[in-house]
Structure formats: structure tokens, C-alpha cells
Amino acid sequence: MFSSAKVGCWDSSTAVLLPTRESVIRVGVGACAVVVAALNAQCSTFTPALTQDARVESPPVDAALDAAPPDAAADASLDARDGAPEAPPPDDAGLDVAAKPDAADDADEFEDLGPPPERPDDVPPFMSGVATLAGASESGLVDGLRTDARFNNPVNLAVSPAGDVYVADFGNNAVRKVEPDGWVTTFVRQRAFEAPFGLVFAPDGTLYVETDANDRGARTNDSGTLWRVLPGRRTATVVARDLGRPRGLALLLDGRLAMSDDVHHVISMFSLEDASVTPLAGRRDASGYADGAGAGIAGHIDARGASAQFNAPQGVALDATVALYVSEAEGHYVRRVAPDGDVTTVAGDGVAGYQDGELRASRCYGLEGLAMSPGGDVVYLPDGDRGTDQAYNRLRRLPLSR
């Protein structure tokens, strides 16, 4: 089985763990590097939490792509938690982007960066334990040997069914491919493909990518766009635009995508067949945390469906009991979302900081991603500084009771 591939960014040495078929990955933002260690993960399926009447229908894919562009000025204030300034589009104005998933030949869409560097016969071995897979402290857009390759704010990654690592190179507006020995090539870089973040693979090798900007040049809190890269191709085509900002993606066994929106504070299900969006948990634009019984900190709600509330849900992972685990970047909690949309709190007391021990008394600072152990009984968390000067640079382990 194959599942989620979502993590957050690693600002100035924050580590992020990612569940994959055979590995957990750390992504470096401050160090502009990709680092690898070992783990595993599962896949799951969900039942919508709300009734059919509450299902939010989006236009069919083709109609959604022909819709008028949003008013970018209305959402000019963007969340800058990723710590990276908006990068200018690549100098490839002569290129065009396919607007629909069934677009024809993509040969003209890919930016020609020239032939890759010559691959050496002898590649230096990795050091034991955690090692740098590719990149260095300097930013840039350089392909080749892992010690020569450069990234610009690599915020997320996914491992393909073939075992290659695909990186959301946020500052370069690109998806990069890293082979197991660290050899780097640029996989997707094209006009109107800007600020990639969310990544997830389907079992057949299809890659889905979320970009914070849409293909019409808007980059707002609502311009998040889902793209598809078919197996054997190197061009991303638009599936749906203006979905909010669903930086967390997880593929379910029924073929839908679970999406966590860290701006609008909701968990939703996206149909790849008709582009419809079904709410699972959370109330759009209602952030915060409150006890469902009325006690606790005002604003936090553990409840079902739209009665639940989140505060910047970002990392998403699936466990073996058909449930999603979600990290809250602003709420400082780890939450569990059952298949029926029932939300409970797993760890954290809502206060940013560092505290090990009992789950509900524990504290974390930088919850931008999470990963699940192969058995679904341990959650791994990156606890970094989120681009600040705070001294939080740990990986945390949360055992789950059954």
C-alpha cells in the first residue's frame, strides 16, 4: 500500500519526517538540503463526516478551470509562515502551461535547462546514520552530484513508487528529482507553476502537487492549485485551482485526496473524478481550540465535522485504523480525525514550548509536519524554530495507545 507524502518546511535546521513506502525524509530549508533516514507508512480510506446535503460541490474539472480569476487584492495579506519570500517567476515567458489534465504533448511546457552535468563513475558513500542526501547551505538551482546540487527553500517531498525522492523546491518554483545516490535533476519547472508545497504520489506513479499560487498568477490565501504530473511526463497540468491553501495532502484508498488547509483551518476530501470538495472536519475560517464541554481554553473544539475547530492544520498522516492525524502549526496540538469526522486531541496543551512526558501535558513549538510509524502506533513530529531565532530543533516521538 502507499499513502501520504506531506510534511512542512524546515526553517533554519527544523527537521521534518515524512512517511513513505520505505523511508522517512528530512527536508532542509535553512540548510537548503535534503536529508534521509528510514521508516514506512500505510494508506487508508474515509467516510465523509457530513450528510450529502452538506457536500460542497465544485464545478467539473473543465468548468472550474474556465472560471474567472479571483480578486487577488481581496487576499493580498498572505501568511508567511514558510519563511521564504515570494520568488519571481522563472525567466521562461515563451513557455505555456497546459490548462487541463488531458492536455496533449508536453514537450514545449518543460523549461529546457540544458543537458545535466556528466555523472561520475564513483559517487562518494553516505556517512553512517543521518546524512545529507543532496544540497548545501547555499541556495541556488543546480543539478548534478549531491554535493554540487543546490535548492532554494525545499519545503516538502514525496517518495515515488520507484524509490526516487521528489522535492518541492519552493523558492525555485520547481519540483526536483533526487535519486537514491543523491543525483539531482529538475523534474518540473514551467510557466505559471509557482510556490509548490504539497506533494503526494498515487500507486501508479502519478504525482499530485499543490502550489500556493494558481496558474493565472494569483497568489493569495485562496489561490492554492492542485496539479497532476502523469507517469513518464515532466509537465504539470491543472486539476483544480483556487482551493484555499491545502498544503497537506494524503491519498486515500478510494482515490480521493485528504487536504489540510492551514489558512482556512479545515480538513476536506477532494474528488479527482469530478473536482468536488467534501468537508470532513473543521469550520472554514474559524480557528482556535476549546473543549467541547465548554471547559478549557476558549476557541478549542473537539467535536464532529463542522463543529470541530483547528488552528492552522498542516501536517497530515494516516494510521492503520483508518484515521488521519493532523499537526496544528498555530494551535500546538496533534489531533486525530476519525473516518466520520470526529475530532479528538491526542497531544499538547495549546502552549508553544518544550515539554516531554504525558501526551496531553506535552508541548511543541514547530508543528509543520508529522509522520506515522509502519505499525501506526507512533507519531513522529518535527519540532523546529519555524524560521525564528527560538531554540527549538528537535524531532519528537508520540506513542499512541489503542
Side-chain angles (χ1 to χ4, degrees):
M1 298 195 305
F2 192 73
S3 71
S4 167
K6 169 65 182 76
V7 297
C9 45
W10 176 29
D11 293 330
S12 302
S13 72
T14 300
V16 176
L17 287 167
L18 165 70
T20 71
R21 292 171 67 236
E22 298 190 0
S23 64
V24 165
I25 309 297
R26 285 198 322 184
V27 182
V29 170
C32 296
V34 181
V35 188
V36 63
L39 202 63
N40 208 340
Q42 292 79 23
C43 188
S44 182
T45 185
F46 276 76
T47 302
L50 306 181
T51 64
Q52 184 68 22
D53 292 339
R55 192 168 185 258
V56 178
E57 294 288 348
S58 295
V61 173
D62 289 356
L65 294 174
D66 292 332
D71 182 1
D75 277 316
S77 174
L78 295 179
D79 181 79
R81 285 195 302 270
D82 50 65
E86 181 174 350
D91 185 18
D92 53 4
L95 300 179
D96 191 14
V97 62
K100 299 186 180 175
D102 58 354
D105 189 1
D106 58 1
D108 293 334
E109 301 298 338
F110 180 69
E111 181 176 359
D112 185 4
L113 300 177
E118 184 178 351
R119 190 163 188 157
D121 294 331
D122 296 325
V123 178
F126 290 110
M127 63 181 296
S128 61
V130 177
T132 297
L133 178 62
S137 59
E138 301 86 3
S139 64
L141 177 58
V142 180
D143 288 339
L145 192 66
R146 67 173 186 266
T147 53
D148 300 327
R150 296 292 182 268
F151 301 88
N152 187 358
N153 195 4
V155 293
N156 193 9
L157 51 76
V159 178
S160 74
D164 296 313
V165 175
Y166 288 74
V167 180
D169 197 347
F170 193 87
N172 281 324
N173 299 319
V175 175
R176 315 284 296 282
K177 177 183 176 181
V178 186
E179 297 179 37
D181 64 356
W183 185 258
V184 178
T185 53
T186 297
F187 182 66
V188 174
R189 190 169 187 258
Q190 64 190 50
R191 181 172 176 244
F193 182 87
E194 299 180 15
F197 202 108
L199 296 171
V200 67
F201 270 100
D204 67 355
T206 298
L207 175 64
Y208 294 96
V209 185
E210 179 271 344
T211 58
D212 287 356
N214 70 19
D215 59 313
R216 292 175 170 172
R219 187 169 172 185
T220 73
N221 287 343
D222 292 308
S223 61
T225 295
L226 185 66
W227 305 69
R228 175 194 287 116
V229 185
L230 295 175
R233 299 179 69 175
R234 299 174 67 186
T235 295
T237 55
V238 174
V239 176
R241 67 169 66 89
D242 303 333
L243 295 172
R245 199 164 76 177
R247 286 181 164 180
L249 300 177
L251 184 66
L252 308 179
L253 283 179
D254 64 6
R256 290 181 298 169
L257 289 175
M259 308 188 304
S260 62
D261 189 320
D262 69 333
V263 169
H264 299 292
H265 315 292
V266 291
I267 311 296
S268 303
M269 317 301 290
F270 179 84
S271 170
L272 293 167
E273 294 182 354
D274 60 10
S276 61
V277 179
T278 304
L280 178 65
R283 187 183 313 148
R284 187 176 175 85
D285 292 330
S287 64
Y289 189 96
D291 190 308
I297 304 171
H300 175 123
I301 298 178
D302 272 352
R304 180 171 297 174
S307 298
Q309 290 186 12
F310 297 89
N311 194 347
Q314 188 157 314
V316 180
L318 295 156
D319 77 354
T321 65
V322 201
L324 280 171
Y325 281 76
V326 180
S327 64
E328 289 186 90
E330 296 291 344
H332 309 291
Y333 292 96
V334 176
R335 315 284 291 279
R336 181 183 185 273
V337 185
D340 62 358
D342 190 47
V343 178
T344 54
T345 300
V346 176
D349 66 357
V351 178
Y354 170 69
Q355 179 64 53
D356 282 339
E358 195 274 325
L359 291 182
R360 288 303 306 274
S362 64
R363 292 180 179 178
C364 292
Y365 185 83
L367 293 178
E368 294 184 288
L370 79 168
M372 188 68 62
S373 67
D377 56 353
V378 177
V379 172
Y380 294 94
L381 298 164
D383 189 11
D385 60 18
R386 302 183 63 208
T388 69
D389 59 359
Q390 301 297 311
Y392 295 99
N393 297 288
R394 299 178 176 90
L395 300 179
R396 313 290 293 279
R397 179 182 183 276
L398 276 62
L400 304 176
S401 58
R402 297 293 180 216

